[in-house]
Amino acid sequence: MESVDYQNVISDKDIRRFPISITTTEVNLTGSWRFYKPEFKEKISPCSVGCPANTNIPKYIHYLLKNDMDRAVEVLRRENPFPATCGRVCPHFCQSKCNRKDYDGAVEIKQIERFVGDYALKVPPKKAKVLSSKKVAVVGGGPAGLSCAYFLALGGYRVDLFEKERFLGGLLIYGIPDYRLPKEVATKEIENILEVGNINVNLGVDVNKEKVEELKKNYDAVFVALGLSEDKTPGNVAIDNEHVFSGYELLKEIKVNGRVDLDGDNISVLGGGNVAFDIARSIRRAGKDVNIICMETLETSPAFEDEKKEAIEEGIKVVDSRFLQNLKITDRGLHLQLRGVDKVLDNYEPVLNDYVEYMDTDILIVAIGRKREESILGIEGVFFGGDFYNGAKTVIEAVASGKKAAFEIMAKLEGKEFKLMNEDDQFFRSTDDFDEYKVIPFERININYFSEQKPIKLSRLAANERVNNFNEIVMKPSLEKILREAKRCFSCGVCNECKTCWFFCPDMCIDVHEKVDFDYSFCKGCGVCSEECPRGVIDMVEDK
Amino acid sequence: MDFREVTNIEYMNQGDFACPGCGAGLSMRHALKVLGDKTLIVMPASCWSIISGVFPTAALQVPLMHVPFATAAAVASGVKNAFRKKGQEDVNVVCWAGDGGTFDIGLQALSGAAERKEDIIYVCYDNEAYMNTGIQRSSATPPGAWTTTTPTGNPLIYEKKDMFNIVVSHNPAYVATATIAYPDDFYQKFEKAKNAKGFRFIHLLSACPPGWRIDSKDSVKTMRLAVESGVFVLMEKEQGKPTKVTYKPDRFVPIKEYLLSQGRYKHLDKDTINKLQIMINEHLASLGLL
Amino acid sequence: MIEIRFHGRGGQGAVIASKILAYAYFLDGYHSQAFPTYGAERRGAPVAAYVRVDDKFINVRSPVVNPDYVIVMSGKLADTVDVSSGIKENGLILINSELNADYYNFEEKCRVMCFDVSGIALKYGLGTKIMPIINVPILGVFSKITNSVSLESLKRATPRFVSTGIDKNIEALEEAYNLA
Amino acid sequence: MNKDMMLGSEAVALGVKLSRPKVISAYPITPQTHIIEKLSEMVDGGELDASFIRVESELSAISAALGASQAGVRAFTATSSHGLALMHEILHWIAGSRLPVVLVNANRAIGSPWNIWTDQSDSMSQRDLGWMQVYCETAQEALDTVLQAFYVAEKVLLPIMVMIDGFILSHTLEEVIIPSQEQADKFLPPYKPEYFLDVDNPLSFGNAAKGDVFYHLREDMQCSMEASFGVIREAHNRFDEAFGRKYDFVEGYCLDDAEIVFVIAGALTGTIRVAVDKLRDLGIKAGLLKIRYFRPFPADIIKELLKTKEHVIVLNRSVSFGSAGQLTQEVKNALYYEPNKPNIYDYILSLGGKDVFVEDIVNLAKDVGNLKTSKMLWRE
């Protein structure tokens, strides 16, 4: 048979292409599909707003959970140089703002702060450099003055600090009893502040009006936080240090000597604030019977709830809604005439009723508040802060006031106008640079990523274990408990690298490392990351 | 689930052709994270036919073969038998099909493979209509839903086909429903499917922003709402064990909330929504969930 | 070329008989071919099968229309099916029947032979009274009367196409051969 | 030489077994069933080391073959008629995927009405897929062609369909020379594809391709079809060396001096041979051209063989309704540029198993003077 000549074999050329894909879709830059783009924008947690010092609570909790304690300490100290102190004595306004409060109970921030603060005691802060030739005088070595000095020092200014007493710390050292704040804690924390450098401490310097005027001339700025210098007394009572004592002075004596000797077993304390309860409880620790007499009802009296509760546990009797109308010194001691009080007005004036009661007591301790040295307040061009300016407030409020003053001073010295970064929120932070200050409400929390869990229970010394000593009452929770509690934090508005955005990005365009980075070459702008972020740190913005 | 513990290894390339917020793309990404690199995909016509990239590019880093619409489970049977003969029994042969390719045109091949106990994993990503062709009704389209072929809403008598129990009736090794909106559940189920031997079926609810008429950002949220409202029940059945509901919300969200979050249901009146709620309640009651 | 046509009813084994026969011819050294006319395979329905034998390769594949031999598996079939159709002059029709060959009166000029193969089948337990399986023994009769295929080859061919009762079939085959 | 008798179907099964496929998937349909019954027996009996997937439809049968082939192993399936039609979509896909699947089709008519008997409408209507097509005349040829088919398909990287006529070949017991496994192995090397599903070299197969790419992929399929002539010839030569049996794209019979040539494909060829012999006895110079390869269509060879003939009667066992028999179309096409082309008659015979007898063909040749080339011819 005839045959036609054909090419005998197949060459590569004959089979050139197969329907096989061997390259990647990465040539397809899907970022061009986008109308909106995600942006990483951290926001403000309500607890930070609640904190007078605006501590970035979620952030330090995040570092705690990351087992990066140094970073946690750094974040805490960025706003507050007294974390170990505040972790004990601060009423934690933050907790009352916590988004978890009405969900399953606020995060026990106080104990977390105490935990990190105690760690911080062992970590001195980094030395600050001197960046300016200008000098600032700070008068008063309490929490406000120390905070002001601390932030100024961090800002590169040299500070001369003046303190009347032999030690720095004010009420931290001379006021708050050890069972609430051990002296060593406050002392260490103050030492750490001084570690920053740039602070020249002058102890035993009593500053009066003339001295302030002088400082004003010699320094580029002066901050005065003298605290409250004089006891208030009821009109018909005078402190004689025989039958009638100053609560403040007694507390100081106890802090310095560890004890106080009073003649008499039946002691009455006048006042409903923390000082009244502190002195009452301190004296109770000497085995004496103590009454607290206050104008308010027990519930409305201004002392911290814990204080009141613990005082009653310790056997202190609270005679509330009573006004000391008269006092007679007798052979057996003091005879008090008390009137019933219907209510207490805003200016601390009681509205009395007809009820009259008499009470005998060996000693009366007055703790109804203290006054400031008004004459200094009139000096212009001087910055004021702390209790001296704000009246009796909490430690954290003193810290906040010192911090605010420091920034105001620095703004002034640098010729800038100081303004709070967000007036509405009373929020300022020294170093973080947010473009948008927005507080994350509970509704912004993607609750699907959380489940209900009650806060940890705190262990306290029982009343009979504490009435004969000054040991701390709230025991330190275990690390396990602290971490469990820390995990409850929603981390509102603050990235805690949970990677939810990364997980749900359909386009693999997210990298989470400290913050969230987006690969805009491929991000299609779907917005799932923003929607799913449990804490609202990703915003979708128009992509122009 | 702690997302920080999820592997960083990706088996998908960027630049895929999924719409923004596509549930199917996201589901594939995570399914592959569980299944790993000893996996290959058999893919019938579906949105993923496009998502996977245009020749000569590929969005997957595992082998993939595209196959005609009706054939996924049969092709996978052939692939698995070939791998067995090659001595590579350990390769996961995965069908990745849409609801059309599973509930409708691919059902026969699926049933055949399930009955033969083929050692494959069949994943149906169910976006409840023919989305790739532009949103036409499938037998996975829920009653009441708008599609371009049910412009006044899918009649209520067309109840969504009960794929879970259809597959269960073949007594396969493992059957589950899942959605990526519940990552824990999703990962556990893929892990179980991976470790089981024999025919395995996972029915994934997968949001389609254009088809469901939702904002792309709400994709995961809507899938979650489907579960929270009881429209999609997360369950599983291992061979020899009873069907188990793997997640039950504390209380079911009213179906209204789910329906009205999506444009495809916006035409529904109160009466219809009530009827749908009754249907869902009956279904949940039959599962012992109400 | 020899052409053979089988008539049977579904289930009687006409197709198998045709295969055994073709194979036996093959074993005898011939070229052969066997094939059925299939309808749907239904028990009881009439079927036909064909065998061709030649000393060279058989090309033609059309049905056998002018057979040299016709083998009818059941006498009753001859009443309803035109079994003699196209038979060559002096061709032979072998019918499994108790009746006398005279009973069958075909138009064509051909020989007719009847043989009660069913009786032999039943004796060896092949099939039932209603439906005896006679496909193997009838080949013994065919071998004897035509002398065109060897008994030995039939015996050898049988096991290849019969799955059960091989021994009984072969015994029946031999008895049919001997009695024919 | 080991010779035996077997059905055409069994010869196919034996050819498959000798080819050592790894996956067989099939669904029963008359008249293909004997093939898969026999293969099941071989697999279950351990004679053949393959997976036999008993699928639930022809669609799945061919799909499983697609999967197996893409996975890189030799895959086989068999079907017929409606089954082949049901496979249609996947047949396209396999060709487009460039997978060397071998399919045996037992030719059978397609309804309606129901008809289980043989014609070639089923395979002829699948001619444009990119599958090679071979039509077999005898059981021996069927066996041999299956072996060749794997060789050719795996070199050309296009699938191949081997046709045996239903009943008249599939169910016919005839003699076959049995090749040994050693011979077969020598002829057919193990299948080693370059691209396949491989977790160590992950590729995507069949991703969407736009027109500019798709167009050239299709051009490549045509290039491969054209180049396949060389491969097929090589296969035939090697087969001859290994087994001593010669095959070609076409086979002539009494062709050299023939004036009337019948063109046919499939098992009815044998009947036509007998008719040619008869015609020669009657002094009529008849001849026969048997077409084995319908795809690729060996147009050049056919042109050379037929260009000087007077009458060419193309015997079609299928119709392209509204046009001509598919075989006629191709033959006419091959001869189009010849200046003195023969009279080409478009004859349709034996649809749905209608019997064809030697006499019919003899009469047809005798009557050639009265036949018309202008219209399709049907038997009285």
Side-chain angles (χ1 to χ4, degrees):
Chain A
M1 191 193 294
E2 294 171 73
S3 68
V4 179
D5 199 23
Y6 284 102
Q7 185 190 345
N8 207 32
V9 285
I10 289 189
S11 68
D12 288 346
K13 196 181 146 288
D14 296 314
I15 304 167
R16 284 171 294 182
R17 282 162 295 233
F18 289 89
I20 299 171
S21 293
I22 50 172
T23 61
T24 140
T25 44
E26 281 162 14
V27 292
N28 181 33
L29 298 177
T30 47
S32 61
W33 301 8
R34 195 172 54 228
F35 294 101
Y36 289 88
K37 68 172 181 182
E39 271 184 9
F40 179 71
K41 275 187 190 165
E42 288 197 320
K43 318 259 174 0
I44 309 302
S45 60
C47 56
S48 288
V49 177
C51 173
N54 307 119
T55 314
N56 192 341
I57 294 160
K59 205 73 176 181
Y60 79 72
I61 289 182
H62 167 51
Y63 287 126
L64 164 69
L65 287 171
K66 254 184 119 178
N67 197 25
D68 189 348
M69 288 302 283
D70 291 349
R71 296 283 293 278
V73 169
E74 194 187 312
V75 171
L76 248 179
R77 281 200 185 130
R78 197 180 293 164
E79 315 301 336
N80 174 11
F82 289 104
T85 300
C86 289
R88 289 171 166 80
V89 302
C90 182
H92 283 79
F93 304 108
C94 52
Q95 287 182 208
S96 64
K97 292 281 179 71
C98 176
N99 269 336
R100 213 151 172 144
K101 196 174 112 197
D102 296 325
Y103 178 64
D104 57 359
V107 175
E108 191 51 69
I109 301 169
K110 181 172 182 171
Q111 295 308 320
I112 299 172
E113 185 181 18
R114 173 177 165 190
F115 181 87
V116 179
D118 281 358
Y119 179 88
L121 293 177
K122 289 166 260 169
V123 186
K126 284 192 195 117
K127 291 258 181 241
K129 286 183 181 144
V130 179
L131 299 171
S132 170
S133 58
K134 292 177 176 164
K135 273 180 84 173
V136 182
V138 171
V139 179
L146 279 165
S147 294
C148 183
Y150 169 79
F151 287 104
L152 285 168
L154 285 177
Y157 291 89
R158 280 180 300 163
V159 180
D160 280 349
L161 178 61
F162 301 95
E163 168 58 46
K164 178 176 74 178
E165 302 285 352
R166 285 171 55 216
F167 297 103
L168 289 174
L171 282 171
L172 307 184
I173 295 299
Y174 295 110
I176 303 170
D178 273 17
Y179 60 81
R180 286 178 58 211
L181 176 63
K183 201 195 285 175
E184 312 78 56
V185 172
T187 307
K188 185 70 197 164
E189 212 141 50
I190 294 161
E191 280 173 17
N192 280 340
I193 290 171
L194 300 179
E195 281 294 311
V196 172
N198 296 356
I199 304 171
N200 174 35
V201 179
N202 304 282
L203 295 170
V205 183
D206 204 354
V207 176
N208 56 19
K209 192 183 173 194
E210 289 68 39
K211 179 77 177 170
V212 174
E213 297 278 10
E214 186 194 323
L215 293 173
K216 198 180 142 190
K217 280 178 201 145
N218 299 337
Y219 289 85
D220 296 291
V222 179
F223 174 63
V224 177
L226 279 167
L228 304 173
S229 46
E230 206 180 307
D231 281 300
K232 285 183 190 168
T233 51
N236 47 3
V237 178
I239 289 169
D240 59 7
N241 286 328
E242 190 179 338
H243 297 99
V244 181
F245 292 85
S246 154
Y248 175 84
E249 294 298 334
L250 286 180
L251 276 176
K252 192 166 153 186
E253 200 177 328
I254 293 169
K255 284 290 273 191
V256 172
N257 301 328
R259 57 190 279 267
V260 67
D261 296 323
L262 290 176
D263 284 340
D265 296 323
N266 188 342
I267 318 286
S268 292
V269 177
L270 193 64
N274 283 331
V275 173
F277 278 85
D278 282 346
I279 187 61
R281 295 177 66 190
S282 295
I283 290 169
R284 177 77 186 134
R285 276 161 172 70
K288 303 187 189 283
D289 288 339
V290 185
N291 296 320
I292 287 179
I293 301 161
C294 64
M295 296 194 294
E296 302 88 354
T297 61
L298 178 63
E299 290 72 36
T300 56
S301 66
F304 299 156
E305 293 306 316
D306 282 358
E307 282 254 52
K308 295 187 233 178
K309 191 169 146 254
E310 286 167 4
I312 290 166
E313 284 168 5
E314 288 162 8
I316 291 166
K317 194 176 155 202
V318 178
V319 183
D320 62 348
S321 301
R322 296 287 180 273
F323 175 73
L324 176 64
Q325 193 161 42
N326 215 339
L327 170 150
K328 255 195 247 166
I329 299 171
T330 67
D331 298 342
R332 291 185 313 247
L334 294 169
H335 185 66
L336 311 179
Q337 184 193 8
L338 306 176
R339 281 285 298 273
V341 179
D342 275 344
K343 62 174 181 178
V344 180
L345 300 175
D346 287 347
N347 59 0
Y348 300 110
E349 283 296 323
V351 177
L352 302 180
N353 55 31
D354 295 339
Y355 181 80
V356 179
E357 186 184 20
Y358 296 95
M359 184 191 275
D360 290 323
T361 186
D362 296 335
I363 285 171
L364 180 70
I365 300 171
V366 178
I368 60 169
R370 282 163 67 85
K371 295 183 286 193
R372 63 186 169 196
E373 178 51 60
E374 291 289 339
S375 62
I376 297 174
L377 204 59
I379 302 171
E380 280 185 10
V382 170
F383 295 85
F384 300 103
D387 285 358
F388 177 76
Y389 187 73
N390 298 314
K393 296 270 176 171
T394 60
V395 174
I396 193 67
E397 286 162 298
V399 168
S401 120
K403 179 164 105 178
K404 184 181 167 192
F407 285 103
E408 279 187 48
I409 289 166
M410 288 188 276
K412 185 189 159 197
L413 297 182
E414 283 158 29
K416 291 176 194 160
E417 192 188 342
F418 173 78
K419 69 175 199 288
L420 295 172
M421 287 184 182
N422 185 318
E423 298 285 346
D424 296 338
D425 298 324
Q426 291 290 299
F427 186 87
F428 61 92
R429 247 174 220 176
S430 50
T431 50
D432 285 343
D433 184 21
F434 299 111
D435 345 43
E436 188 183 335
Y437 290 89
K438 209 170 167 192
V439 182
I440 294 285
F442 179 76
E443 293 67 38
R444 266 302 284 281
I445 299 297
N446 194 336
I447 208 69
N448 296 292
Y449 295 101
F450 304 99
S451 51
E452 284 187 28
Q453 192 188 9
K454 291 283 169 203
I456 50 165
K457 288 221 159 56
L458 301 179
S459 306
R460 294 162 193 271
L461 289 179
N464 60 354
E465 293 171 313
R466 63 192 191 227
V467 283
N468 56 1
N469 61 58
F470 281 84
N471 294 342
E472 272 196 278
I473 289 168
V474 178
M475 291 192 274
K476 205 168 177 172
S478 66
L479 173 65
E480 190 190 320
K481 269 186 162 182
I482 287 293
L483 293 179
R484 205 196 89 189
E485 190 61 16
K487 279 184 193 151
R488 292 182 67 240
C489 175
F490 284 159
S491 196
C492 311
V494 176
C495 181
N496 66 357
E497 301 174 58
C498 70
K499 290 183 81 173
T500 305
C501 52
W502 168 83
F503 185 90
F504 284 111
C505 175
D507 300 309
M508 293 156 291
C509 288
I510 290 182
D511 181 39
V512 181
H513 187 74
E514 296 284 330
K515 62 189 181 70
V516 181
D517 283 316
F518 303 95
D519 181 347
Y520 291 121
S521 302
F522 292 100
C523 168
K524 293 171 188 160
C526 68
V528 170
C529 54
S530 168
E531 190 63 28
E532 291 307 310
C533 175
R535 42 197 56 86
V537 301
I538 299 172
D539 290 345
M540 295 304 290
V541 298
E542 208 179 325
D543 193 11
K544 282 162 193 158
Chain B
M1 183 169 187
D2 190 343
F3 298 130
R4 287 170 279 216
E5 284 163 15
V6 174
T7 176
N8 275 319
I9 301 172
E10 301 288 355
Y11 298 95
M12 262 176 79
N13 295 324
Q14 289 176 306
D16 67 55
F17 282 78
C19 298
C22 175
L26 184 59
S27 299
M28 173 71 93
R29 180 180 165 222
H30 290 291
L32 288 178
K33 276 174 184 277
V34 184
L35 296 171
D37 58 0
K38 281 207 160 185
T39 299
L40 64 86
I41 305 285
V42 174
M43 192 176 278
S46 64
C47 286
W48 251 100
S49 306
I50 303 303
I51 297 172
S52 60
V54 170
F55 176 93
T57 72
L60 290 190
Q61 294 167 22
V62 297
L64 159 69
M65 79 180 281
H66 291 276
V67 300
F69 214 170
T71 66
V75 174
S77 304
V79 171
K80 184 68 196 195
N81 278 280
F83 271 79
R84 184 176 293 132
K85 282 291 156 194
K86 291 203 290 184
Q88 296 179 39
E89 189 91 33
D90 57 339
V91 170
N92 301 312
V93 176
V94 178
C95 288
W96 190 269
D99 47 306
T102 304
F103 286 61
D104 293 341
I105 194 170
L107 183 59
Q108 176 181 311
L110 165 61
S111 173
E115 167 273 318
R116 293 191 303 273
K117 311 279 191 258
E118 297 285 359
D119 187 25
I120 60 175
I121 303 173
Y122 192 111
V123 181
C124 168
Y125 72 93
D126 172 13
N127 49 29
E128 304 196 315
Y130 291 91
M131 298 313 187
N132 197 36
T133 43
I135 320 165
Q136 294 83 27
R137 178 196 177 271
S138 77
S139 62
T141 301
W146 164 93
T147 69
T148 57
T149 52
T150 50
T152 57
N154 196 22
L156 296 200
I157 53 161
Y158 293 173
E159 290 177 52
K160 180 168 175 148
K161 205 182 267 186
D162 185 357
M163 260 330 279
F164 180 87
N165 281 312
I166 288 172
V167 181
V168 161
S169 69
H170 294 76
N171 192 24
Y174 185 69
V175 190
T177 60
T179 162
I180 193 58
Y182 290 79
D184 260 324
D185 191 68
F186 181 100
Y187 267 64
Q188 279 165 20
K189 284 170 176 172
F190 268 91
E191 196 67 48
K192 272 190 183 172
K194 182 186 177 183
N195 295 330
K197 203 155 167 42
F199 191 81
R200 294 147 280 167
F201 180 83
I202 297 184
H203 176 194
L204 295 179
L205 184 71
S206 174
C208 172
W212 293 9
R213 296 280 189 258
I214 56 174
D215 200 317
S216 61
K217 75 178 167 51
D218 293 328
S219 160
V220 173
K221 189 166 119 185
T222 310
M223 290 189 267
R224 190 160 49 228
L225 210 44
V227 174
E228 294 296 324
S229 60
V231 169
F232 190 77
V233 179
L234 297 178
M235 47 193 183
E236 68 178 6
K237 181 169 184 322
E238 292 170 80
Q239 201 164 28
K241 293 183 186 171
T243 295
K244 183 175 133 195
V245 173
T246 55
Y247 171 82
K248 181 184 181 298
D250 294 338
R251 52 170 278 277
F252 287 102
V253 168
I255 189 180
K256 187 179 162 191
E257 208 173 302
Y258 171 69
L259 298 176
L260 297 185
S261 70
Q262 301 167 63
R264 61 173 169 158
Y265 293 113
K266 70 162 189 264
H267 57 282
L268 297 184
D269 57 25
K270 222 174 169 180
D271 189 40
T272 311
I273 292 174
N274 286 341
K275 281 181 190 158
L276 288 168
Q277 182 72 65
I278 290 166
M279 286 165 73
I280 290 294
N281 288 354
E282 280 169 2
H283 180 233
L284 294 174
S286 76
L287 290 167
L289 296 175
L290 274 188
Chain C
M1 186 188 288
I2 303 169
E3 293 182 294
I4 303 158
R5 189 168 72 209
F6 286 77
H7 289 284
R9 295 166 62 180
Q12 281 189 310
V15 175
I16 288 174
S18 71
K19 289 180 180 177
I20 295 171
L21 184 57
Y23 194 54
Y25 276 117
F26 171 75
L27 294 174
D28 279 349
Y30 296 98
H31 293 272
S32 68
Q33 175 196 66
F35 64 101
T37 58
Y38 265 99
E41 291 127 310
R42 293 291 177 272
R43 194 167 286 264
V47 292
Y50 311 104
V51 172
R52 284 194 177 95
V53 187
D54 207 343
D55 45 18
K56 61 181 195 293
F57 186 82
I58 299 155
N59 280 305
V60 68
R61 288 176 188 275
S62 47
V64 169
V65 287
N66 301 117
D68 297 273
Y69 304 112
V70 174
I71 299 171
V72 184
M73 312 286 280
S74 160
K76 267 196 248 169
L77 268 171
D79 297 337
T80 51
V81 178
D82 185 6
V83 299
S84 65
S85 166
I87 191 163
K88 281 182 184 137
E89 234 175 278
N90 289 320
L92 173 69
I93 304 179
L94 170 60
I95 306 172
N96 168 28
S97 172
E98 292 171 329
L99 298 174
N100 195 301
D102 298 345
Y103 173 82
Y104 297 98
N105 193 10
F106 298 111
E107 283 176 14
E108 286 79 0
K109 285 185 183 168
C110 60
R111 291 172 289 153
V112 177
M113 192 185 166
C114 289
F115 197 94
D116 180 15
V117 191
S118 295
I120 295 172
L122 288 173
K123 183 176 164 192
Y124 288 93
L126 303 172
T128 63
K129 206 160 193 175
I130 294 161
M131 197 165 187
I133 307 295
I134 55 98
N135 57 351
V136 177
I138 201 169
L139 295 175
V141 178
F142 179 82
S143 169
K144 183 74 166 289
I145 62 175
T146 62
N147 203 24
S148 75
V149 65
S150 71
L151 177 64
E152 200 46 45
S153 293
L154 285 171
K155 280 160 73 178
R156 273 177 63 200
T158 300
R160 167 102 181 252
F161 300 98
V162 173
S163 51
T164 55
I166 293 168
D167 294 346
K168 293 284 173 200
N169 267 300
I170 289 175
E171 284 169 34
L173 174 70
E174 281 180 322
E175 178 158 343
Y177 182 86
N178 291 331
L179 291 178
Chain D
M1 200 186 303
N2 186 9
K3 233 177 169 187
D4 199 0
M5 287 193 83
M6 60 178 68
L7 301 178
S9 305
E10 292 169 340
V12 166
L14 181 58
V16 173
K17 180 192 150 191
L18 291 169
S19 305
R20 298 182 187 274
K22 287 292 170 212
V23 174
I24 298 164
S25 58
Y27 185 75
I29 180 169
T30 302
Q32 152 266 31
T33 37
H34 288 339
I35 302 175
I36 63 163
E37 284 173 356
K38 192 74 190 167
L39 286 169
S40 299
E41 195 183 307
M42 291 167 170
V43 170
D44 280 5
E47 283 175 71
L48 171 55
D49 178 25
S51 273
F52 194 108
I53 312 178
R54 291 150 186 99
V55 287
E56 78 298 336
S57 70
E58 285 89 355
L59 182 67
S60 286
I62 193 68
S63 300
L66 160 66
S69 189
Q70 189 78 83
V73 304
R74 203 165 270 164
F76 175 81
T77 186
T79 189
S80 179
S81 178
H82 291 264
L84 188 67
L86 189 55
M87 289 179 174
H88 177 82
E89 182 194 16
I90 320 306
L91 297 176
H92 272 290
W93 197 270
I94 288 174
S97 304
R98 310 301 306 263
L99 293 172
V101 173
V102 172
L103 179 154
V104 168
N105 183 56
N107 279 118
R108 167 184 153 181
I110 303 193
S112 166
W114 282 116
N115 182 299
I116 59 162
W117 295 281
T118 187
D119 71 27
Q120 293 169 347
S121 327
D122 53 355
S123 55
M124 281 295 170
S125 58
Q126 307 291 346
R127 68 183 165 166
D128 301 332
L129 302 167
W131 281 63
M132 293 180 272
Q133 285 200 348
V134 202
Y135 290 80
C136 301
E137 182 187 347
T138 64
Q140 184 75 60
E141 188 176 345
L143 189 161
D144 293 349
T145 303
V146 167
L147 274 164
Q148 294 162 14
F150 280 108
Y151 183 89
V152 171
E154 287 165 13
K155 264 207 139 168
V156 178
L157 288 173
L158 282 174
I160 190 160
M161 204 181 280
V162 177
M163 260 57 72
I164 60 167
D165 282 301
F167 300 110
I168 61 169
L169 180 51
S170 68
H171 283 55
T172 297
L173 189 72
E174 63 186 55
E175 62 194 50
V176 171
I177 300 164
I178 314 290
S180 70
Q181 185 67 59
E182 292 71 35
Q183 278 176 301
D185 290 346
K186 210 177 139 201
F187 168 73
L188 182 62
Y191 176 42
K192 288 201 178 107
E194 192 179 349
Y195 302 109
F196 55 95
L197 291 171
D198 179 5
V199 291
D200 296 323
N201 179 27
L203 302 172
S204 287
F205 296 85
N207 277 18
K210 288 178 186 162
D212 52 349
V213 171
F214 190 90
Y215 178 85
H216 287 298
L217 288 168
R218 287 296 173 264
E219 185 192 4
D220 295 339
M221 282 169 68
Q222 176 61 16
C223 284
S224 297
M225 271 289 186
E226 285 165 11
S228 73
F229 285 104
V231 177
I232 294 165
R233 186 168 298 282
E234 185 199 340
H236 288 156
N237 291 340
R238 284 172 50 89
F239 196 85
D240 189 12
E241 278 168 35
F243 300 96
R245 286 191 291 283
K246 292 188 192 305
Y247 287 95
D248 209 330
F249 294 97
V250 298
E251 191 186 319
Y253 182 66
C254 301
L255 205 53
D256 289 352
D257 63 342
E259 289 165 0
I260 302 170
V261 178
F262 293 102
V263 177
I264 191 162
L268 266 187
T269 307
T271 304
I272 312 302
R273 276 180 209 277
V274 178
V276 166
D277 291 344
K278 283 236 162 124
L279 285 163
R280 288 272 169 177
D281 290 347
L282 293 171
I284 297 171
K285 286 186 174 174
L288 165 64
L289 181 65
K290 164 179 144 185
I291 308 289
R292 281 188 79 228
Y293 272 88
F294 184 70
R295 284 291 178 274
F297 192 76
D300 289 348
I301 299 174
I302 289 167
K303 181 190 74 183
E304 290 303 319
L305 292 171
L306 297 183
K307 65 184 180 187
T308 60
K309 307 301 177 193
E310 207 178 328
H311 301 288
V312 170
I313 303 173
V314 186
L315 301 175
N316 293 275
R317 297 173 57 210
S318 62
V319 187
S320 178
F321 296 101
S323 177
Q326 286 93 335
L327 203 48
T328 308
Q329 294 176 29
E330 298 288 350
V331 170
K332 280 186 175 172
N333 198 17
L335 291 163
Y336 179 78
Y337 292 105
E338 290 310 306
N340 301 310
K341 48 181 148 315
N343 297 320
I344 302 172
Y345 305 96
D346 181 24
Y347 201 91
I348 310 296
L349 85 167
S350 188
L351 298 183
K354 183 171 166 59
D355 292 329
V356 174
F357 298 100
V358 172
E359 285 310 309
D360 301 334
I361 306 300
V362 169
N363 292 337
L364 184 63
K366 283 181 185 167
D367 200 29
V368 73
N370 295 323
L371 298 180
K372 285 181 179 164
T373 55
S374 56
K375 75 188 277 274
M376 189 183 276
L377 302 170
W378 294 71
R379 258 177 73 184
E380 291 298 315

